[in-house]
Amino acid sequence: MSKKVYIETYGCQMNVNDSEVVLAILQEEGYTLTENMDEADLILANTCSIRDNAEQRIWGRIDQFRIQKKTRPDVIIGILGCMAERLKEKLLEKVDLVAGPDAYRALPKLLKAVTPERPQIDVLLSHEETYADIKPVRLDKNGVSAFVSIMRGCNNVCSYCVVPYTRGAERSRDPHTIVNEVTDLWSRGYKEVTLLGQNVDSYYWKDKNNSNGNTNFAQLLEMVAKISPELRVRFSTSHPKDISDEVIYTMAMYDNICKHIHLPVQSGSSIMLEKMRRKYNREWYLERVKKIRSVIPDCGITTDVIAGFSGETEQDHQDTLTLMEKVVFDSAFMFAYSERPGTLASKKYADDIPQDVKTARLNEIIELQGRMSLKSNQKEIGKLMKVLVEGPSKKNADELCGRASNNKMCVFPSLGEKAGDYCEVEVVSVTSATLICKRIESCLDGIVNR
Ligand code: SAM
Ligand code: SF4
């Protein structure tokens, strides 16, 4: 009988893709995936350390996993990912297996060696590992959209951020393996890929044998876009200091490169940005937004914002609010600053903004973003959108939902299309989260109906 693995994934899209790599490795060892923890021989959590509350949540889950041990002492509990890398042996008091983000190839060996008395750990970080040759086992259910990691790690050392310590140094993946993976996805019916990296704009592949064979991110985008004009290409995350004009022009050149850039600003105050070591200031960020909009007027721009970083004054906070009003982001991920042990900020700067002030500022940011999202969506009324169907809308089974090129969620009446079909719609009304659309035509691909 085959062994069963249950896996929970926390945090970013890269972790989702890493879990898919882990599944591919375990499948080779005879494991099959189960969604029922009670029948699993191996229980894994692929974890996130980015903020303290992410880790607290996982500690809670570990306690729940351990309940399984009471009735099934042979079950193996493993922690993967950033929390494994950050806490290392400290986790071994509670679990049987700890593997960092660059140690997944060692999982078969670790699993063979693990016993209740001998928990196993591998948290070595690598300068080369990109899992380029491993074909991820896709976790998504609809077979339409897939994540493809193009690089790993990060060299930026933003002062608040734990990622460079948990995921190691930046390394780019051979572009040919990326194109092969995407071509395979396309041939299996996938319609959309998202190229992933902590800072995709610094993607750079050096061909050891031929310097003309070097590839930057704009060139990689073009290579992937050329696989098929019907394949949508997305990417995340762009860094404001690195996003180049070449990338923006490449996006404009190919219809199938989605017109959406996730461009985390973190703060609107140049003083905070300097302290965060983001290597750009407010003016630079606004200039990049202006450039994007001058080349791609309808480009969706989304962002990340941190409230209450060390020493943030009321003026710094106001600078964030005015920047948000100026840019009118389509949406944003917004966080209260959470000091992470080992980061530069934790060593150099006091976490001195009281929790109630952080919360109040975060709430102001969230409230403003709600208004900006509505404002941005209102501009879409009357526009035509080509939408890639994701499936039935959550609220009404007679309606479909899917994203427009600019990443906005559209809801519209169903004519019986399925996930993966393209539909053309017109925006008739909006909320801050959704574009409500009517059909202007039959489905562009798949079942034809009126
Ligand atoms: N690499 C991306 C970049 O540079 O924009 C972001 C990666 S990080 C996984 C996602 C977001 O988490 C960041 O953009 C930042 O807003 C937020 N974040 C990172 N460290 C944080 C911290 N210590 N406290 C609060 N938010 C944090
Ligand atoms: Fe963290 Fe900065 Fe790297 Fe993003 S670019 S992962 S915020 S260190």
Side-chain angles (χ1 to χ4, degrees), residues 378-447:
Q378 278 164 343
K379 280 208 214 138
E380 312 288 14
I381 293 176
K383 287 190 190 160
L384 305 186
M385 303 276 170
K386 184 179 171 184
V387 178
L388 179 61
V389 176
E390 286 180 12
S393 125
K394 284 194 189 96
K395 289 193 185 142
N396 180 350
D398 295 332
E399 291 187 329
L400 296 172
C401 67
R403 288 182 191 276
S405 172
N406 63 9
N407 209 37
K408 291 188 179 179
M409 183 54 88
C410 300
V411 172
F412 48 95
S414 168
L415 295 177
E417 295 87 349
K418 57 186 188 313
D421 289 339
Y422 285 111
C423 291
E424 210 162 324
V425 299
E426 181 184 333
V427 182
V428 286
S429 64
V430 299
T431 69
S432 61
T434 314
L435 307 182
I436 296 139
C437 308
K438 68 174 184 187
R439 311 293 300 242
I440 56 158
E441 225 192 81
S442 53
C443 194
L444 296 172
D445 178 9
I447 308 161

Side-chain angles (χ1 to χ4, degrees), residues 12 50-51 160-161 163 198-199 237-239 264 266 278 304-306 335-340:
C12 61
I50 199 86
R51 283 167 291 278
Y160 52 82
C161 184
V163 168
Q198 293 297 350
N199 177 3
T237 302
S238 300
H239 197 302
Q266 315 299 1
R278 288 291 284 179
D304 295 347
V305 181
I306 299 177
F335 312 105
Y337 172 55
S338 164
E339 187 181 77
R340 306 312 291 132

Side-chain angles (χ1 to χ4, degrees), residues 8 125 138 220 276 353 366 375 405 440:
E8 287 184 6
L125 286 172
R138 299 294 163 186
L220 176 72
M276 289 174 165
I353 307 300
I366 292 171
K375 187 172 170 184
S405 172
I440 56 158

Side-chain angles (χ1 to χ4, degrees), residues 109-127:
K109 196 181 76 195
L110 298 172
L111 283 166
K112 280 189 191 103
V114 78
T115 65
E117 298 73 37
R118 280 196 307 160
Q120 297 292 311
I121 180 166
D122 187 340
V123 287
L124 277 182
L125 286 172
S126 155
H127 284 280

